[in-house]
Amino acid sequence: MFQVHQFESVDSSLGSAHDDEKKNILEEEILSDFDDIYNEDEDEVFDVWRNNRGNKNLVNVDSCGAAGDGTSDDTKAFEEAWKQACSKRKSVFMVPSGRTYLVNATKFNGPCANGLIIQVDGTIVAPSDPENWDPKSPKAWLVFANLTGVTFQGNGIIDGSGRKWWEASCKKNKSNPCKSAPRALTIDSSSRIKVKGLTFQNSQQMHFVISRSDNVRVNGVMVSSPGDSPNTDGIHISESTNVLLQDCKIGTGDDCVSIVNASSNIRMKTIYCGPGHGISIGSLGKDDSIGIVNKVTLDTAFLKGTANGLRIKTWQGGSGYVRSVLFKNVQMEDVSNPIIIDQFYCDSQKPCQNQTSAVEISQVLYRNVSGTSKSQKAMKFACSDTVPCRRITLDNVNLEARDGTAEVYCNSATGIIAGYVHPEAECLNSNDKKIEQKIEEYNVHNEL
């Protein structure tokens, strides 16, 4: 995990060509139909059980037979504790501090009685040897499914013991077969879920997956694995709506955050990323599939030493769209591809064939983005000739190449330049009439 630096407002380092009201014209064009994510007070959301212990049904995994010595298999004890906690209102499923619990692949199914809290203060570890893994669960370790109104919280650690899985990866050694590996924690088919304070580390592949869920709020989590660990995405969002990630620190061997098909209204605020592959929408459209991601915002982020910064990646041959995306107040340090849209993404051992169809990308706004690029192409918009990228807007972007002169690459991408932009991105500028007319109307009105 990289050392966290104090985040400074990008607004203070860049001159603005428009005042706040004129800037809002651009945001309204892109994000006018965003839904509201529920927004309770922090003190009311988390640490509820600590203040109301007398009203809680506390189920400690130790009382269900867990050894907590890090070597004995505590899977059955966790299953028994879950059975008790899930069945009774206002229960706390307790993993106490100071102990380490070895747990094999387990699915914790709901629905559960109201008011369930999952309190993880100790360490949960996975079996370290892939040969000891349950073959019935090749892609999942800890799965929580069909839950409503459940809170996950604590200062504990969820450790995937992933090193032997990484060594067996085809990305580490091309002579190895490409196989799936488990994801550390998955929240599936659930709603009104809150997660705070947990640490995820050394996952076999993805660390924390939010799948087919609605209204999920994640606050103050940390994710850590080596920068060369393959496919270890930090937080992966799939087929989910109304997700809020806030105050998260993520360093992995893959995307810090990845957002894939059928996800909408995803908000990220104050995200620290590095090492890793950046913050990504995609990949989408693989194997001629439909990919749809709509309404994504990132507000305030610091990325250091990542392979990409703000990335949208799609395979040739897919269909669907990425629409209404806002990246703002982002600082980068030594990032290889700070801003990149890649409609020719190909993560395959074989070359990908050229195809005409593509996932459509439009209405993407980059505002107040600054920092240093390890590559000369600080901005790259590599879009399909048949399905071009449209309405890409740059507003106050300042990216310097660490070595040489920073450049911009465009292929079949159009948009507007709405403020100071360095390096110059004239290849993108198409004078978007709809937005420019609104800005002009504002200017005329202001002068009268």
Side-chain angles (χ1 to χ4, degrees):
M1 178 72 75
F2 65 82
Q3 182 178 0
V4 174
H5 296 257
Q6 182 66 35
F7 188 89
E8 298 176 0
S9 171
V10 181
D11 282 312
S12 64
S13 62
L14 292 174
S16 176
H18 310 289
D19 59 23
D20 288 342
E21 189 168 354
K22 287 160 71 176
K23 285 177 178 291
N24 285 341
I25 293 171
L26 294 171
E27 287 197 17
E28 286 172 5
E29 280 298 307
I30 290 179
L31 304 172
S32 58
D33 55 349
F34 253 78
D35 303 323
D36 290 328
I37 296 178
Y38 62 94
N39 189 28
E40 299 108 321
D41 182 81
E42 280 287 313
D43 294 333
E44 295 177 5
V45 173
F46 298 108
D47 296 324
V48 213
W49 79 276
R50 296 186 187 279
N51 299 322
N52 301 283
R53 290 195 187 193
N55 300 326
K56 300 295 180 183
N57 172 45
L58 184 60
V59 182
N60 191 319
V61 295
D62 289 352
S63 66
C64 295
D69 58 12
T71 56
S72 303
D73 189 345
D74 290 327
T75 306
K76 289 185 177 180
F78 271 61
E79 290 172 343
E80 177 59 29
W82 179 258
K83 183 179 177 181
Q84 294 182 25
C86 181
S87 62
K88 189 174 181 179
R89 292 180 68 251
K90 296 186 177 180
S91 289
V92 177
F93 178 94
M94 182 71 187
V95 181
S97 62
R99 299 166 72 76
T100 299
Y101 300 88
L102 176 65
V103 179
N104 214 312
T106 310
K107 190 167 185 178
F108 301 91
N109 267 316
C112 294
N114 293 339
L116 176 62
I117 294 171
I118 298 165
Q119 185 75 31
V120 181
D121 290 324
T123 298
I124 304 173
V125 297
S128 60
D129 195 332
E131 292 186 3
N132 294 334
W133 201 258
D134 184 350
K136 296 178 182 178
S137 185
K139 293 185 179 182
W141 175 28
L142 305 175
V143 178
F144 292 83
N146 304 309
L147 301 178
T148 302
V150 173
T151 297
F152 295 73
Q153 63 182 29
N155 300 313
I157 297 171
I158 295 174
D159 189 331
S161 305
R163 186 160 300 280
K164 289 187 178 180
W165 295 89
W166 308 332
E167 291 170 355
S169 168
C170 62
K171 290 191 175 181
K172 281 281 195 178
N173 184 343
K174 291 186 178 181
S175 65
N176 292 333
C178 292
K179 295 181 179 179
S180 297
R183 302 165 175 189
L185 177 71
T186 300
I187 294 174
D188 181 55
S189 302
S190 298
S191 64
R192 294 194 293 112
I193 302 298
K194 308 177 184 79
V195 182
K196 183 180 181 182
L198 300 179
T199 294
F200 303 89
Q201 65 186 33
N202 301 325
S203 181
Q204 306 93 328
Q205 283 192 359
M206 295 176 179
H207 285 79
F208 178 20
V209 176
I210 300 167
S211 172
R212 298 183 293 187
S213 295
D214 178 63
N215 274 350
V216 180
R217 181 171 179 173
V218 179
N219 186 282
V221 306
M222 295 184 67
V223 182
S224 178
S225 65
D228 62 350
S229 55
N231 300 114
T232 52
D233 296 47
I235 301 176
H236 180 76
I237 301 168
S238 172
E239 299 180 73
S240 295
T241 55
N242 302 314
V243 178
L244 173 63
L245 311 180
Q246 188 165 3
D247 297 320
C248 297
K249 300 172 184 176
I250 305 169
T252 73
D254 209 304
D255 297 324
C256 290
V257 179
S258 50
I259 303 165
V260 297
N261 186 36
S263 295
S264 66
N265 206 35
I266 311 299
R267 296 177 186 263
M268 299 168 280
K269 186 172 178 62
T270 316
I271 305 295
Y272 298 85
C273 171
H277 293 180
I279 295 171
S280 294
I281 296 174
S283 64
L284 301 169
K286 186 178 182 180
D287 298 326
D288 301 331
S289 62
I290 299 172
I292 295 176
V293 173
N294 188 32
K295 296 184 287 189
V296 175
T297 62
L298 170 67
D299 181 358
T300 310
F302 178 76
L303 294 88
K304 180 177 180 181
T306 54
N308 302 283
L310 310 174
R311 177 165 63 156
I312 301 174
K313 51 180 177 174
T314 68
W315 295 72
Q316 294 185 75
S319 60
Y321 60 84
V322 175
R323 190 178 297 161
S324 298
V325 178
L326 170 62
F327 299 112
K328 69 177 182 179
N329 302 326
V330 180
Q331 287 186 334
M332 305 194 200
E333 182 179 328
D334 288 339
V335 171
S336 292
N337 298 289
I339 291 176
I340 178 169
I341 294 177
D342 182 6
Q343 286 187 291
F344 302 92
Y345 181 74
C346 178
D347 183 18
S348 172
Q349 290 185 314
K350 298 179 181 179
C352 296
Q353 293 183 342
N354 289 332
Q355 299 188 57
T356 55
S357 61
V359 177
E360 181 186 15
I361 297 171
S362 64
Q363 291 177 268
V364 184
L365 169 57
Y366 302 88
R367 164 169 296 153
N368 300 334
V369 179
S370 69
T372 55
S373 173
K374 275 200 272 187
S375 59
Q376 282 191 285
K377 287 187 172 57
M379 290 182 268
K380 183 178 180 180
F381 305 100
C383 301
S384 164
D385 291 331
T386 53
V387 188
C389 300
R390 299 179 299 107
R391 301 183 70 182
I392 310 300
T393 302
L394 303 175
D395 181 15
N396 284 1
V397 175
N398 186 11
L399 296 167
E400 299 283 352
R402 189 177 64 178
D403 299 307
T405 303
E407 300 174 354
V408 179
Y409 171 82
C410 300
N411 182 78
S412 297
T414 56
I416 68 168
I417 310 302
Y420 174 81
V421 173
H422 175 80
E424 292 185 359
E426 289 303 315
C427 63
L428 187 70
N429 202 337
S430 66
N431 296 319
D432 190 303
K433 299 301 182 184
K434 185 176 180 181
I435 296 179
E436 294 232 340
Q437 183 179 359
K438 287 198 172 190
I439 294 175
E440 183 63 28
E441 288 173 356
Y442 174 83
N443 288 337
V444 171
H445 175 75
N446 228 31
E447 291 168 1
L448 293 177

